[in-house]
Amino acid sequence: MNELMKALYIERKKDEIKAQLLKMGYFKTPDGRQLYELSLDELDGIFKKQLIERGK
């Protein structure tokens, strides 16, 4: 996978996770950062934590 394709994939995954978090009512991290400021790893971790907390 070339660098452009990798970057596009990462951005698409970030957008998908952000959309799911927004549906869950999650808008900011406890330290006040917006979702668009987070890395894919940070978003993924928050999403998984939210799923666990919601009992899914």
Side-chain angles (χ1 to χ4, degrees):
M1 187 180 302
N2 68 37
E3 290 302 311
L4 176 59
M5 287 179 67
K6 185 176 180 181
L8 291 172
Y9 172 80
I10 289 170
E11 288 306 310
R12 190 176 82 228
K13 289 302 292 179
K14 285 171 64 175
D15 288 344
E16 291 171 5
I17 296 171
K18 286 185 282 189
Q20 290 296 320
L21 286 170
L22 291 171
K23 285 181 187 176
M24 295 174 163
Y26 191 96
F27 301 101
K28 284 186 181 180
T29 63
D31 63 3
R33 290 184 295 159
Q34 301 284 336
L35 297 179
Y36 70 86
E37 298 177 85
L38 305 176
S39 70
L40 178 58
D41 287 340
E42 289 172 309
L43 287 167
D44 191 50
I46 291 167
F47 180 65
K48 288 175 181 172
K49 187 175 180 181
Q50 291 298 308
L51 286 177
I52 291 167
E53 288 177 6
R54 284 168 166 55
K56 292 187 177 178

